Amino acid sequence: MIVFDLRCAQGHVFEAWFGSSGAYAAQVQAAQVRCPLCDSSEVSKAAMAPNVPAKGNRATAPVAIDPKQMLRALAAAQSKALEKSEWVGRSFATRARAMHSGEEDHATIHGQATIAEARALAEDGVPVAPLPLPVRPPETLN
């Protein structure tokens, strides 16, 4: 797997994982890579800072991490990313596969899939990713 920082035409920067550089190029050319914030398919690689380890003889101060604050930030980011996404429930795998094959127009969707369905989609090259936090179906919300 390889991770790239990507930038859309609106200037949003986001991270995406690909099986290889060739997989990235093929998915971008097929307009399958979309900005999670504005749904633009006009994306390109953004400048990335190299991961350079600290010198071995230098101690770094421990960073205090507030897990609750991190979870709130993650929840807010996921909520924002899903604002323009359609909840499709259990039909996620069927809809994602139909979009990938061209039977249905591309759209940003989220829903439920079994591990077997998600694995089959990934093996077939359908671009999917798990959400970091669980999502409640809209009909269960107050």
Side-chain angles (χ1 to χ4, degrees):
M1 292 302 263
I2 188 168
V3 63
F4 290 125
D5 283 343
L6 303 177
R7 180 182 313 275
C8 75
Q10 300 295 317
H12 301 124
V13 177
F14 58 99
E15 186 178 275
W17 293 72
F18 300 92
S20 66
S21 292
Y24 159 78
Q27 290 181 27
V28 167
Q29 185 175 9
Q32 294 173 333
V33 180
R34 305 185 84 76
C35 174
L37 298 175
C38 67
D39 200 36
S40 171
S41 64
E42 295 179 45
V43 297
S44 60
K45 291 181 188 173
M48 293 177 60
N51 186 5
V52 180
K55 290 179 80 175
N57 63 352
R58 293 195 180 159
T60 58
V63 176
I65 298 173
D66 178 3
K68 290 180 182 178
Q69 184 178 2
M70 287 178 48
L71 278 174
R72 282 192 294 272
L74 182 59
Q78 178 173 297
S79 179
K80 180 151 179 70
L82 294 179
E83 282 178 358
K84 296 182 180 177
S85 180
E86 176 189 356
W87 170 261
V88 295
R90 292 288 310 139
S91 67
F92 177 81
T94 303
R95 296 275 309 272
R97 189 173 300 283
M99 288 179 208
H100 182 70
S101 67
E103 297 170 21
E104 188 174 319
D105 289 339
H106 285 273
T108 305
I109 61 172
H110 65 285
Q112 298 170 320
T114 65
I115 292 174
E117 289 171 329
R119 184 175 290 126
L121 289 169
E123 288 172 356
D124 293 342
V126 179
V128 297
L131 293 173
L133 299 173
V135 177
R136 290 180 49 195
E139 64 271 8
T140 66
L141 302 175
N142 291 337

